Amino acid sequence: MVQWLLAAALVGQLGFAQDRAQAAGAGAKLPEFEAASVRPSGPNDRELNGLRTYPGGRIIGKGVRTQYLLMVAFNVQQFQIVGGPVWTDLVTGQGFDIQAVPPADSASVHSKPAFSVDPPDDEECRMLQALLIDRYQLKYHVETREAQTYLLVRGKGKLNLQAPSDKSAYPWAGGDYKTWYGGKNIPMPKLAERLSAWLGRPVIDRTELSGSFDFEYKPGDADNDADITGFLLTAMKALGLELRAGKGSIQTIVIDHIERPSPN
């Protein structure tokens, strides 16, 4: 249940810019923050992976687990990260509080995220990579691996998606798979990203549906014992969609070395 609720809060992004990751791994010069602070979270701080972006390129994180920081910096899902010690774990690992600001001559100082939970822009992601390399002593390489995948497609039944009630709302989908699952103002590519995080494998949007949607699904009593995968397969079918299993290649970051961040 903890992993399900966490996945619903993540900014799930499938795939990453391979040239960006390989360039960083090869030692290419990355942009850096003007100032960055990384400190262990307090013993009573229960916030989990609270990374936020603000106008001017400022980034603030509370209780950020290292695996989550890797996911954000390289724009990958958890299943695309291999290796790393237990203290880096996405849920149970050690949390760190992060504050960072870009230099005045960077493009990121002009950023104006619509929501604080929006992911960092491309330049900020590169700065986070530089932070990982410098402060966490990160060393890694990139591999292409075969993986099980899903295609999100139109189903044969009625399409039970509604026009968004608020087109300015943050695109979101999630819930408790025992009782409810819903979405607000979410386009199909973003839904595929969310599903990918929950299912632990790539989900590729092939619905050819444009725009964004609201939806709601409540399982019947017969579905209450289903696992997350079974629940989501049933939920998509009820919405007039379908998840079709397949195989494909994904880019994977393999952690060769990482250390707890150096003190400020």
Side-chain angles (χ1 to χ4, degrees):
M1 181 63 69
V2 172
Q3 289 180 330
W4 163 266
L5 294 175
L6 175 62
L10 294 180
V11 183
Q13 299 288 330
L14 175 62
F16 62 95
Q18 181 182 0
D19 58 339
R20 174 174 46 176
Q22 288 180 332
K29 179 64 176 177
L30 290 166
E32 298 179 358
F33 291 109
E34 177 70 24
S37 169
V38 182
R39 300 178 183 273
S41 299
N44 298 321
D45 191 344
R46 298 183 178 181
E47 186 162 358
L48 187 64
N49 297 323
L51 193 69
R52 300 290 184 264
T53 57
Y54 296 94
R58 185 165 58 103
I59 293 177
I60 296 179
K62 295 286 289 184
V64 178
R65 275 53 175 177
T66 303
Q67 196 172 66
Y68 180 69
L69 186 59
L70 287 160
M71 291 166 62
V72 174
F74 291 100
N75 195 20
V76 295
Q77 299 277 16
Q78 183 184 13
F79 58 80
Q80 292 173 273
I81 299 174
V82 176
V86 294
W87 62 265
T88 66
D89 187 81
L90 181 65
V91 177
T92 62
Q94 182 178 1
F96 296 92
D97 295 343
I98 299 172
Q99 295 191 39
V101 292
D105 60 352
S106 68
S108 297
V109 298
H110 303 293
S111 67
K112 297 179 180 179
F115 304 93
S116 65
V117 291
D118 282 346
D121 62 30
D122 185 72
E123 183 183 50
E124 291 170 319
C125 286
R126 291 174 181 265
M127 292 180 184
L128 288 174
Q129 292 172 27
L131 180 73
L132 282 160
I133 292 170
D134 178 44
R135 300 292 296 280
Y136 292 73
Q137 299 300 299
L138 171 67
K139 294 181 175 60
Y140 70 94
H141 66 277
V142 179
E143 293 182 1
T144 300
R145 298 189 176 190
E146 294 299 310
Q148 300 293 322
T149 65
Y150 281 111
L151 293 180
L152 180 64
V153 300
R154 287 283 300 268
K156 297 180 180 179
K158 177 184 175 182
L159 194 63
N160 293 312
L161 304 172
Q162 293 77 46
S165 59
D166 182 0
K167 291 185 178 181
S168 65
Y170 180 74
W172 178 88
D176 180 345
Y177 76 92
K178 290 292 185 181
T179 60
W180 178 85
Y181 179 67
K184 292 290 185 181
N185 193 34
I186 189 164
M188 290 296 102
K190 180 65 69 176
L191 176 59
E193 292 174 358
R194 294 284 189 175
L195 291 169
S196 178
W198 295 318
L199 293 168
R201 65 172 69 177
V203 177
I204 303 168
D205 172 39
R206 291 291 184 268
T207 62
E208 299 183 354
L209 294 171
S210 59
S212 58
F213 303 91
D214 290 353
F215 61 82
E216 183 178 49
Y217 169 71
K218 293 183 178 180
D221 293 338
D223 300 321
N224 286 344
D225 293 331
D227 60 12
I228 292 177
T229 299
F231 169 80
L232 289 174
L233 290 172
T234 302
M236 291 302 105
K237 185 176 181 180
L239 296 173
L241 304 171
E242 183 181 347
L243 286 167
R244 293 180 182 173
K247 292 184 178 182
S249 299
I250 63 170
Q251 297 297 319
T252 303
I253 290 184
V254 182
I255 305 301
D256 300 314
H257 178 82
I258 194 167
E259 300 176 9
R260 284 183 174 84
S262 56
N264 292 76

